[in-house]
Amino acid sequence: MAMWIQAQQLQGDALHQMQALYGQHFPIEVRHYLAQWIESQLWDSVELDNPAEEAKAKHLLDSLMAELQRKAQHQVGEDGFLLKIKLGHYATQLKGTYDRCPLELVRCIKHILHSEQRLVQEATNVSSTSKRLFMALDSLSQRHQQINQAFEELRLATQESENELRKLQHSQEYFIIQYQENHRIQAQINSLATLPLAERTPRETTLQSKRATVEAWLTREASTLQKYRLDLSEQHQKTVNLLRKQQTLILDEELIQWKRRQQLAGNGGPAEGGLDVLQSWCEKLADMIWQNRQQIRRCEHLTQQLPLPGPMEELLSKLNSEITDIISALVTSTFIIEKQPPQVLKTQTKFAATVRLLVGGKLNVHMNPPQVKAVIVSEQQAKALLKNESTRNDSSGEILNNNCVMEYHQATGTLSAHFRNMSLKRIKRSDRRGAESVTEEKFTVLFESQFSVGGNELVFHVKTLSLPVVVIVHGSQDNNATATVLWDNAFAEPGRVPFMVPDKVLWPQLCEALDMKYKAEMHSGRGLAEDNLVFLAQKAFPSNNNNSNPEDYSSVTISWSQFNRESLPGRNFTFWQWFDGVVELMKKHLKPHWNDGAIMGFVNKQQAQDMLLSKPNGTFLLRFSDSEIGGITIAWVAENPNKTGERLVWNLLPYTTKDFSIRSLADRISDLNHLLFLYPDRPKDEVFAKYYTPPLCKHFLFGPGLFTTPNPEPVYMEQAASPTISNTTTFNIFPPMSDPMLDADGDFDLDDTMDVARHVEELLRRPMVNQWSSPQS
């Protein structure tokens, strides 16, 4: 119910978004009156894509109906009568909607709860980040204002050039008329030669005077036309310079920043966004560049029509060349990858990508839709491409379904090609350098196309490279390939030679990348706190274990080898492999508990002991295993049964994904009756009860006859010495076992001393039909 209380405090757009989650598919009144019940159910435990889970979903639907009916029956008074009818109606409505598809009800409620949680977290984070956000928005607003002002300046300059060009054209047309008039007068003078002198002289004098007047005007007007042309060419030069400046701002800053955001999104950063705004700017640029180019070409035509002495032909040729280069740069730079192919690419696996031409609609490219081809190339081939060295016939593999025609979408005004069913059939690897593994080798998908604009006036061959891709052939390579991608996305610099990245980076830089990745995988605003990052630093730099402040690591560098090539001391895995194991475990099984703040996680064994020994017996915490990838252990404080008055800290062997696929963390904690308080002092039921398996289901799974004793608590009592104590005295609760219970770190394996619990877990792996035939079940 805590979430619903917080959700009701939302304001503005967040409140509207929350309200929009509800409707006939799930009325908001049901959410309100059953808030506590809804938030206490294990919706996330239902696998929506598994038809076998439908029985669990049906149980939740029936329970919801029962809760609604119970709530309705308890309403009294005049208002209660109306509410009773309303709740009964909702019960009937929901049963009719979801009775045949109960999994859809679970999907609906999961979406609602997750969306509410996101909105509440965002609203909570706003207060702490509002100032920074305001500054960022203010900076963004200033940049956008600068761009829009420049467009207005360009519009006015282009319109002025158009007006001046028309004046020049009218003046030149009149000049030509007068020039032809001068020729007509001269012809008349020549025709007088056959007349008698007395008749010829007065008429010739008149015509000569008229011709002199026209020739004087032509001389003056020729100078004026020359000045008009020079002034117009200077004006065009200024406009071209403004266009180039505006294009630099949009392509070399805004578009590059968009691409950088897209790259960071591959590490879990926020969605890049803003592409439609970029397209509108690029289309305005294309429109103004094309208008100015047409004006310059008209000036060239006027100059050819009436050649006059001077540098005009050379000036216009230079302007034409400049404006053509600008539009070529615009077209080739705005052929972009809107949706990147996966950066960890497995062979024989279907994948997708989308390329888009931001100026395609404005230049009418869709009138003759171009075809786009995709090929995969190596790092060396990518370098050659950027040097304009021919690699047309070279590729490093074979991609199936790698041709696609660009389509124009009228509603959005976008021209794009959607590759939906590509598959990498094979890959050709290069010779690797030194210790480099196949998961460190980078490829890229090259997209190419060719099209013309302006009635084949200009022909463009465009190409663009995807973000670096690591090719794998087996899922076991995914972990190391992801490390390569994360390092590249985080630390690549704009304009780099493909695909150079620094070998060393500052530890705070890596922390930022790890935090971004962690928050994205958890779908949470709760990332890695300073003490978490100190723990990770101590793991990455074992020689600096005494440093306990973030500032102690502010100038420390970490190399790629330390990150994911060299194993941690005394382990057979790297720093990244350990961290990625934690992420995988958390996102698959423990995400809600992390978001609730129930998992401390990044705490070593000695820290856990120091923290717990100051707390009452039964206090426990959850920390990530140091010795096993993707493991989490429970540490708790209790009396030493061998020595009165002495208290010890105990550690279970780590639970892994395999364990949680059998039984959830919350249920395991519920089973351990000697665990009382989650550190520092929260009763465990207050934290975990909402995730417990419902009692009815629990009774069914662990009913009479499964346990040999009515109270299973002794099974879970401390059965080995604390790993922090040197003695190894054990209890004789169970018969002696030939295998030691302690692991290499002194942890003990609870399962090795719990044959009954193991038997139950085995039962849970099997279908439940006919497993219990006793009358008691």
Side-chain angles (χ1 to χ4, degrees):
M1 188 168 181
M3 178 64 69
W4 182 239
I5 292 172
Q6 291 176 293
Q8 292 176 77
Q9 308 304 315
L10 295 173
Q11 297 179 354
D13 185 56
L15 178 61
H16 293 310
Q17 289 184 52
M18 187 271 286
Q19 291 171 335
L21 296 171
Y22 298 96
Q24 289 187 349
H25 60 286
F26 197 80
I28 196 169
E29 291 88 345
V30 176
R31 175 70 174 101
H32 180 74
Y33 288 105
L34 298 188
Q36 186 170 355
W37 182 88
I38 288 172
E39 292 179 29
S40 67
Q41 304 308 303
L42 294 177
W43 305 104
D44 283 328
S45 69
V46 181
E47 297 178 18
L48 297 175
D49 298 325
N50 184 359
E53 297 278 80
E54 188 163 327
K56 192 185 292 186
K58 183 68 164 60
H59 173 71
L60 286 167
L61 172 61
D62 292 342
S63 299
L64 176 65
M65 299 300 101
E67 282 295 312
L68 270 175
Q69 295 291 358
R70 186 185 64 78
K71 195 75 174 178
Q73 294 304 319
H74 283 79
Q75 303 305 314
V76 295
E78 184 177 345
D79 292 340
F81 174 74
L82 294 175
L83 183 58
K84 180 188 295 187
I85 294 175
K86 206 168 191 178
L87 292 177
H89 169 71
Y90 289 145
T92 304
Q93 176 185 321
L94 290 172
K95 187 168 181 62
T97 302
Y98 296 111
D99 197 42
R100 293 187 178 181
C101 50
L103 285 171
E104 289 305 310
L105 171 71
V106 177
R107 189 189 307 277
C108 169
I109 295 179
K110 283 174 71 171
H111 170 69
I112 286 172
L113 293 177
H114 291 167
S115 298
E116 283 181 358
Q117 185 179 44
R118 175 182 58 80
L119 290 169
V120 167
Q121 287 173 344
E122 288 175 356
T124 303
N125 293 336
V126 162
S127 59
S128 60
T129 59
S130 57
K131 185 175 181 180
R132 184 177 59 182
L133 181 62
F134 175 78
M135 293 174 65
L137 289 174
D138 187 53
S139 174
L140 181 67
S141 175
Q142 288 179 1
R143 288 206 318 274
H144 286 196
Q145 188 176 2
Q146 178 186 355
I147 289 171
N148 291 332
Q149 286 176 345
F151 271 126
E152 180 61 19
E153 188 177 352
L154 279 166
R155 187 190 67 79
L156 294 173
T158 302
Q159 185 60 52
E160 187 177 349
S161 297
E162 179 65 28
N163 294 338
E164 293 301 316
L165 179 59
R166 288 176 180 174
K167 288 180 183 178
L168 173 63
Q169 185 174 349
H170 293 156
S171 297
Q172 182 166 312
E173 287 171 354
Y174 189 66
F175 180 91
I176 291 171
I177 291 171
Q178 293 302 107
Y179 183 80
Q180 291 172 341
E181 176 67 13
N182 187 51
H183 275 281
R184 189 180 66 80
I185 294 171
Q186 183 61 49
Q188 286 179 331
I189 292 173
N190 293 339
S191 67
L192 294 177
T194 59
L195 296 176
L197 184 61
E199 184 180 350
R200 183 180 65 198
T201 299
R203 294 179 63 182
E204 185 174 348
T205 301
T206 302
L207 288 172
Q208 289 286 7
S209 174
K210 189 175 181 180
R211 189 186 72 172
T213 302
V214 171
E215 285 184 345
W217 183 89
L218 288 172
T219 301
R220 291 194 308 273
E221 191 62 18
S223 297
T224 302
L225 285 175
Q226 281 183 320
K227 186 176 184 305
Y228 277 174
R229 288 178 177 180
L230 286 172
D231 289 346
L232 189 54
S233 68
E234 287 180 7
Q235 192 163 329
H236 273 129
Q237 186 65 63
K238 289 178 182 177
T239 305
V240 167
N241 292 340
L242 284 174
L243 286 167
R244 184 181 286 108
K245 182 180 178 182
Q246 182 79 327
Q247 183 156 301
T248 298
L249 184 61
I250 292 171
L251 299 184
D252 294 351
E253 292 187 31
E254 297 295 327
L255 184 56
I256 292 297
Q257 287 182 24
W258 180 87
K259 290 182 177 180
R260 179 59 182 153
R261 292 196 300 273
Q262 186 185 56
Q263 192 171 28
L264 289 176
N267 279 2
E272 55 271 22
L275 193 55
D276 291 338
V277 174
L278 272 169
Q279 173 163 319
S280 70
W281 289 341
C282 292
E283 287 180 336
K284 283 183 181 179
L285 262 176
D287 191 32
M288 290 187 175
I289 292 170
W290 195 257
Q291 285 184 48
N292 279 273
R293 186 174 184 273
Q294 294 303 101
Q295 288 179 5
I296 292 168
R297 289 177 64 81
R298 282 159 60 194
C299 284
E300 286 182 312
H301 178 71
L302 290 175
T303 302
Q304 293 165 1
Q305 191 181 42
L306 180 62
L308 293 172
M312 279 308 302
E313 190 173 341
E314 183 179 343
L315 287 173
L316 290 172
S317 177
K318 178 174 175 289
L319 280 170
N320 193 17
S321 177
E322 284 186 55
I323 200 89
T324 302
D325 287 345
I326 290 175
I327 198 165
S328 296
L330 178 64
V331 173
T332 54
S333 297
T334 54
F335 182 66
I336 63 166
I337 303 173
E338 181 177 5
K339 179 187 176 184
Q340 291 281 341
Q343 288 187 264
V344 177
L345 187 56
K346 188 178 177 184
T347 55
Q348 311 297 330
T349 303
K350 188 172 75 171
F351 68 96
T354 301
V355 293
R356 179 168 165 181
L357 182 62
L358 298 181
V359 295
K362 181 59 67 174
L363 297 179
N364 293 321
V365 175
H366 58 283
M367 301 303 289
N368 185 18
Q371 181 169 278
V372 184
K373 181 180 180 181
V375 295
I376 190 163
V377 298
S378 67
E379 185 173 330
Q380 288 301 120
Q381 290 167 333
K383 290 177 183 176
L385 279 166
L386 292 189
K387 293 178 183 176
N388 290 320
E389 297 175 6
S390 177
T391 60
R392 176 167 293 279
N393 298 320
D394 294 336
S395 70
S396 290
E398 181 182 354
I399 298 179
L400 303 179
N401 302 317
N402 66 330
N403 286 286
C404 186
V405 174
M406 299 195 86
E407 299 176 357
Y408 183 68
H409 305 275
Q410 189 75 40
T412 58
T414 58
L415 183 71
S416 55
H418 300 277
F419 293 83
R420 295 181 175 87
N421 296 293
M422 288 191 288
S423 176
L424 183 57
K425 184 178 180 182
R426 61 178 180 83
I427 192 67
K428 182 171 65 179
R429 299 191 183 275
S430 58
D431 295 332
R432 292 184 294 281
R433 301 180 292 267
E436 186 182 80
S437 67
V438 294
T439 55
E440 293 179 40
E441 185 178 6
K442 300 173 190 174
F443 297 87
T444 180
V445 180
L446 166 68
F447 295 92
E448 294 181 283
S449 185
Q450 182 171 307
F451 52 86
S452 61
V453 298
N456 295 325
E457 186 179 330
L458 294 175
V459 178
F460 296 102
H461 177 213
V462 294
K463 56 192 175 186
T464 186
L465 296 172
S466 76
L467 293 173
V469 167
V470 178
V471 177
I472 63 173
V473 296
H474 192 274
S476 62
Q477 298 172 307
D478 184 82
N479 175 286
N480 292 323
T482 302
T484 300
V485 167
L486 182 136
W487 190 276
D488 191 281
N489 286 343
F491 309 123
E493 296 181 357
R496 64 172 172 173
V497 175
F499 289 107
M500 298 295 292
V501 285
D503 182 61
K504 290 184 177 182
V505 296
L506 287 171
W507 171 251
Q509 291 178 282
L510 181 61
C511 287
E512 187 177 346
L514 295 178
D515 181 55
M516 181 182 292
K517 180 75 172 176
Y518 195 83
K519 282 194 288 191
E521 296 292 357
M522 295 301 106
H523 300 288
S524 169
R526 184 193 171 203
L528 301 175
E530 283 191 351
D531 56 337
N532 302 152
L533 297 173
V534 168
F535 170 89
L536 291 173
Q538 291 170 342
K539 183 172 285 292
F541 311 108
S543 60
N544 295 353
N545 267 351
N546 293 329
N547 295 341
S548 58
N549 293 317
E551 294 77 15
D552 297 333
Y553 298 95
S554 60
S555 59
V556 176
T557 59
I558 183 169
S559 68
W560 165 254
S561 292
Q562 289 172 295
F563 180 66
N564 195 45
R565 191 177 280 172
E566 302 167 358
S567 294
L568 294 172
R571 308 296 181 194
N572 62 353
F573 48 80
T574 66
F575 172 85
W576 163 256
Q577 288 166 348
W578 181 88
F579 180 82
D580 188 56
V582 165
V583 172
E584 285 298 305
L585 175 73
M586 296 296 291
K587 76 177 183 180
K588 287 180 179 177
H589 299 286
L590 308 178
K591 191 187 303 179
H593 303 301
W594 172 265
N595 293 336
D596 287 348
I599 294 177
M600 195 167 291
F602 300 96
V603 179
N604 63 40
K605 190 172 292 185
Q606 185 60 51
Q607 289 172 326
Q609 176 178 327
D610 295 342
M611 294 163 68
L612 290 171
L613 284 175
S614 65
K615 297 298 177 182
N617 288 342
T619 304
F620 68 99
L621 59 79
L622 296 151
R623 66 177 190 84
F624 300 129
S625 169
D626 289 317
S627 59
E628 185 166 354
I629 293 178
I632 191 168
T633 186
I634 300 174
W636 77 96
V637 62
E639 294 292 334
N640 182 355
N642 294 327
K643 190 171 182 180
T644 304
E646 183 178 66
R647 303 166 74 238
L648 302 178
V649 173
W650 305 78
N651 291 271
L652 291 182
L653 261 187
Y655 293 122
T656 63
T657 289
K658 180 180 177 181
D659 299 308
F660 292 132
S661 64
I662 298 170
R663 190 151 173 77
S664 72
L665 173 67
D667 283 341
R668 291 178 183 273
I669 289 173
S670 175
D671 294 339
L672 297 172
N673 293 332
H674 54 282
L675 301 184
L676 304 177
F677 305 101
L678 178 67
Y679 184 90
D681 56 8
R682 299 169 69 189
K684 72 174 182 182
D685 288 346
E686 177 187 301
V687 181
F688 296 100
K690 63 181 176 181
Y691 301 109
Y692 294 161
T693 301
L696 181 63
C697 182
K698 196 169 183 180
H699 174 76
F700 177 66
L701 292 178
F702 302 96
L706 288 183
F707 285 109
T708 57
T709 172
N711 182 3
E713 181 175 352
V715 177
Y716 295 93
M717 289 297 288
E718 301 89 350
Q719 296 151 13
S722 166
T724 62
I725 303 299
S726 59
N727 70 73
T728 58
T729 305
T730 61
F731 286 93
N732 291 322
I733 296 176
F734 296 94
M737 300 176 65
S738 58
D739 294 329
M741 292 181 289
L742 295 176
D743 73 354
D745 286 341
D747 292 341
F748 68 85
D749 188 346
L750 191 63
D751 289 341
D752 284 344
T753 64
M754 292 174 58
D755 293 335
V756 175
R758 184 184 301 281
H759 176 64
V760 171
E761 292 184 340
E762 287 299 325
L763 287 173
L764 289 175
R765 293 193 181 100
R766 307 179 201 156
M768 292 187 291
V769 180
N770 296 326
Q771 282 190 14
W772 297 279
S773 56
S774 68
Q776 291 176 319
S777 60

